[in-house]
Structure formats: structure tokens, C-alpha cells
Amino acid sequence: MSVALLTGTTACSSSDKASSDQTPGAADTPTATPAETPSALPSINASQVVAGLSGAGYKCSNDGTYAICTSGPAAVWVLTGDHPRPPVVSLHSTGPVETASAAIAKVLPQALELAHISQGPQIAEWFGQQTGKTSAQTTAGDWQVDYSAEVDTEEPGAHLSLMDKLCKANCTAE
């Protein structure tokens, strides 16, 4: 998928024509903006997301209404169902918050790409800015993104959940 994004950026770039109108060095700046990226990745259903995660080396199993795919200390939970795309994709890791957040950050870009969440780079950047916080929330495209950290509990850890704002029915597990 990276090749397609790079090709799209190159194809959208008109630096040869516009270079005379730009300041020096501006032609080196990518012309694609985060607002353009959402059309880059088509929606895929939960089964396809799980297949992509499995193909990337995640170990996946079903736990009721979620498929849980693990890679090292991080787990990607995908709400299953017959939606055009999963209504919930969440990442979890246990342990001290700094360690758990680092485990999520390590797999986050790939997991979001495999889930065809076009705002993945934007979400990963935002997640990286949450250091030291115990909760935060943002919106990225059609996704509501929630971060929470469990600090003084029996099972400390970090959690990042993405919920599809376009989902209208059976959008949560419970």
C-alpha cells in the first residue's frame, strides 16, 4: 500500500510546472495533505482486516464479538460483523503506561494501514503527543479516537479505540 501512496503523491505533484511560481525548496515539499488521503484506502470489512493482520504475522483468535490479534505485548481488537468496515478497532497493551503506550505506538501505523484507516498517519502522530496524559479524545475523518491509560489499577496499561462515526446499527459489542 505504501507504493500506491507514494505513486499517488508523485502523480498529484506538479512541481515541474509550478516550480517557477514557488519559493526555493518548495518543490521538495509533498503536495498531498491529510484531507486528500482518506480516499487512498478503500473500506474493508472486519474479516479482511483480520486476514491482513494475520498475514502480517499477528496471532488472531475470536473472543465473542471481537477478533483479537496480538503482536508482542500489543493487541488489536476488531469488532466483527457484517459492516462495510469494522465499527471498532482498538489497540491495547498492559504494563506501566509508558511501556504499554510504546508497545501500541510500535504497531499502530501498520495496524491502521492494515485496517484501511486512511487517517492512520494523523492518528499515530496524535497518539505520540499523548505522553503523560491519562485520557484524550480526537476525531480523525469518520473516526472517533479515544485514548485512556490505567495507572493505579490491578491491570495498568494503555488503550486506544477508534469508533466509526458512520456506523448506525450494531456498532458496539455490548
Side-chain angles (χ1 to χ4, degrees):
M1 195 48 71
S2 296
V3 174
L5 291 174
L6 291 175
T7 302
T9 302
T10 302
C12 293
S13 174
S14 58
S15 62
D16 293 337
K17 291 166 102 177
S19 62
S20 61
D21 298 336
Q22 296 175 344
T23 58
D28 298 333
T29 305
T31 58
T33 62
E36 295 175 30
T37 307
S39 64
L41 299 173
S43 294
I44 59 175
N45 64 35
S47 296
Q48 293 168 310
V49 172
V50 173
L53 291 165
S54 293
Y58 289 74
K59 295 179 183 176
C60 298
S61 62
N62 285 326
D63 181 22
T65 57
Y66 281 94
I68 301 172
C69 300
T70 58
S71 177
V76 180
W77 292 41
V78 180
L79 184 63
T80 58
D82 60 357
H83 301 86
R85 66 182 187 183
V88 178
V89 175
S90 59
L91 291 89
H92 307 271
S93 186
T94 59
V97 174
E98 298 80 20
T99 304
S101 292
I104 291 173
K106 183 177 178 182
V107 301
L108 183 60
Q110 180 188 42
L112 296 180
E113 182 177 356
L114 292 170
H116 281 213
I117 296 175
S118 296
Q119 298 81 9
Q122 174 189 352
I123 293 167
E125 181 180 338
W126 174 83
F127 180 73
Q129 297 169 356
Q130 305 316 307
T131 304
K133 296 181 182 177
T134 56
S135 67
Q137 189 175 67
T138 192
T139 300
D142 297 325
W143 296 95
Q144 176 64 44
V145 184
D146 294 305
Y147 164 73
S148 65
E150 303 291 331
V151 181
D152 295 326
T153 66
E154 290 181 23
E155 292 185 37
H159 313 280
L160 181 68
S161 295
L162 289 79
M163 282 124 333
D164 181 2
K165 296 188 314 180
L166 300 178
C167 185
K168 302 296 181 208
N170 301 319
C171 302
T172 59
E174 300 170 285

